[in-house]
Amino acid sequence: GGSEDSSGRIDIELASPKQNLADAVQGLESAGAVILGLGASRSPAAADRTFYVRVLAPDLTPLAELLRKKGYAVRAVHPPQAA
């Protein structure tokens, strides 16, 4: 099966001091995404409030939109690699 290939990554930046990663994760989970992992972005250009979330979902676009609506800055969306 190709189920292990269906994880993608969303890079987000916390745009305001009131935001936190837990709220972003909760929003993604309530939308049906399975969170596989998360961490701080390694990019030297990234602010210290930039994170990536690895998710198991067939389509990342609605998840990115959800985060934008919640006020997060979506820096990049890396869709699942086609098998």
Side-chain angles (χ1 to χ4, degrees), residues 47-58:
D48 54 353
R49 293 172 62 75
T50 303
F51 301 90
Y52 67 85
V53 183
R54 189 167 291 285
V55 293
L56 192 63

Side-chain angles (χ1 to χ4, degrees), residues 14-77:
L14 304 183
S16 101
K18 292 189 180 74
Q19 292 177 333
N20 63 58
L21 201 54
D23 286 343
V25 167
Q26 206 168 23
L28 291 170
E29 288 182 329
S30 69
V34 175
I35 309 297
L36 298 180
L38 40 87
S41 176
R42 293 280 177 263
S43 164
D48 54 353
R49 293 172 62 75
T50 303
F51 301 90
Y52 67 85
V53 183
R54 189 167 291 285
V55 293
L56 192 63
D59 185 8
L60 300 185
T61 306
L63 299 176
E65 278 306 305
L66 173 90
L67 291 170
R68 287 190 185 100
K69 283 197 180 83
K70 286 178 170 285
Y72 295 95
V74 176
R75 292 290 170 230
V77 176

Side-chain angles (χ1 to χ4, degrees), residues 3-23:
S3 59
E4 63 276 349
D5 302 322
S6 57
S7 73
R9 201 179 89 207
I10 302 175
D11 297 350
I12 59 172
E13 183 179 332
L14 304 183
S16 101
K18 292 189 180 74
Q19 292 177 333
N20 63 58
L21 201 54
D23 286 343

